[in-house]
Amino acid sequence: MDKEQNHSQDTETRILQAAEKEFFEKGYAGARTASIAEAAGVTHAMLHYYFRTKDKLFERIVSEKINMLADILLSAVGDANLPLEERIRQGIERHFDFISANRDLPRFIVNEVLSRPEQVNTMKRNVQSVVNEVLDNLQQEIDEYAAKGLCRRVDARMLLIDIVSLNVFPFMAAPIVYGAIGSAYGDYEEFLKRRKRENVKTILEKLKIN
């Protein structure tokens, strides 16, 4: 029984990995379930058995990625056992590392939102309640710190937008960034390490926690 369950999980994992690559490279409209099945090494009927429709497979991919992002927020910014500075730092760094490990994700999301606006509602449903709770708590803590003169009073939601914007841009506009940095750094990976440190510094400077 365990062997059958492991085989089923392995098959599902291979389908999801193949689907992610197909969707990220071609978008929803260009992706083909036949190509996904071939890349996963399963029949088209087997893919249909696991996920029923292309829509359900797409929603699974998007939901998992967005839930992972929400978990990053919860695990870092939402950890009340850490000082505010350290939570902000970890939130920035973990978000940056996640984007670095999923470099096609930002462009994919933007393209899908522009071509299929209904996807916005799916994304909002997955993260809105979690993000709102985290940001409401963060806002309260920022206000308390500011009242004690420990940081500036800033809008937590604007702060989140600042973090996302700073972290996403090097990947979203990679060709432009390549041209801009030229040979100033050893390679692009070296630049990304520097960029992550700069993003942390920029956000903490905005809050004046450093």
Side-chain angles (χ1 to χ4, degrees):
M1 186 68 175
D2 288 341
K3 188 177 292 186
E4 289 180 5
Q5 187 174 20
N6 289 338
H7 177 72
S8 176
Q9 290 174 344
D10 179 62
T11 300
E12 181 175 308
T13 298
R14 285 187 286 113
I15 292 172
L16 288 172
Q17 289 173 343
E20 179 178 315
K21 187 173 186 297
E22 179 82 0
F23 283 128
F24 282 12
E25 289 181 355
K26 302 176 182 177
Y28 175 86
R32 297 289 178 266
T33 52
S35 299
I36 295 170
E38 182 179 358
V42 300
T43 65
H44 196 267
M46 181 67 75
L47 185 147
H48 179 76
Y49 169 79
Y50 276 91
F51 293 100
R52 309 303 300 172
T53 67
K54 178 180 172 181
D55 279 343
K56 289 188 181 300
L57 185 53
F58 180 85
E59 288 173 9
R60 172 73 177 271
I61 296 294
V62 172
S63 294
E64 286 193 354
K65 292 299 181 183
I66 291 178
N67 287 338
M68 288 172 70
L69 280 170
D71 286 343
I72 288 172
L73 275 175
L74 284 173
S75 64
V77 180
D79 187 352
N81 295 316
L82 293 175
L84 180 61
E85 175 184 357
E86 184 59 25
R87 280 149 53 196
I88 297 293
R89 181 188 305 278
Q90 286 191 20
I92 298 167
E93 291 177 343
R94 291 179 188 180
H95 178 260
F96 191 98
D97 290 343
F98 175 82
I99 298 300
S100 183
N102 297 271
R103 298 186 184 187
D104 293 327
L105 182 62
R107 192 177 297 108
F108 164 76
I109 290 177
V110 170
N111 288 340
E112 289 303 313
V113 168
L114 291 176
S115 62
R116 303 173 69 228
E118 67 273 13
Q119 286 302 318
V120 174
N121 292 327
T122 300
M123 296 174 189
K124 284 172 63 177
R125 283 196 302 271
N126 284 324
V127 299
Q128 195 164 39
S129 60
V130 173
V131 170
N132 282 342
E133 181 180 353
V134 171
L135 290 179
D136 287 345
N137 292 337
L138 181 61
Q139 185 67 66
Q140 182 179 346
E141 190 162 4
I142 289 173
D143 291 344
E144 290 172 356
Y145 266 61
K148 297 175 184 177
L150 299 175
C151 75
R152 290 175 174 166
R153 180 174 277 106
V154 299
D155 186 314
R157 283 164 174 77
M158 289 297 181
L159 188 69
L160 177 63
I161 292 172
D162 289 339
I163 292 170
V164 171
S165 300
L166 285 169
N167 281 350
V168 165
F169 181 79
F171 305 100
M172 188 73 185
I176 298 173
V177 173
Y178 273 119
I181 66 175
S183 58
Y185 302 90
D187 57 28
Y188 191 58
E189 300 305 316
E190 179 187 336
F191 163 77
L192 290 177
K193 291 178 183 177
R194 173 77 175 271
R195 189 65 246 164
K196 181 165 71 170
R197 293 195 298 269
E198 289 292 326
N199 289 354
V200 170
K201 181 178 178 181
T202 298
I203 294 299
L204 293 183
E205 178 67 23
K206 177 176 181 174
L207 279 164
K208 282 294 183 184
I209 306 180
N210 48 23

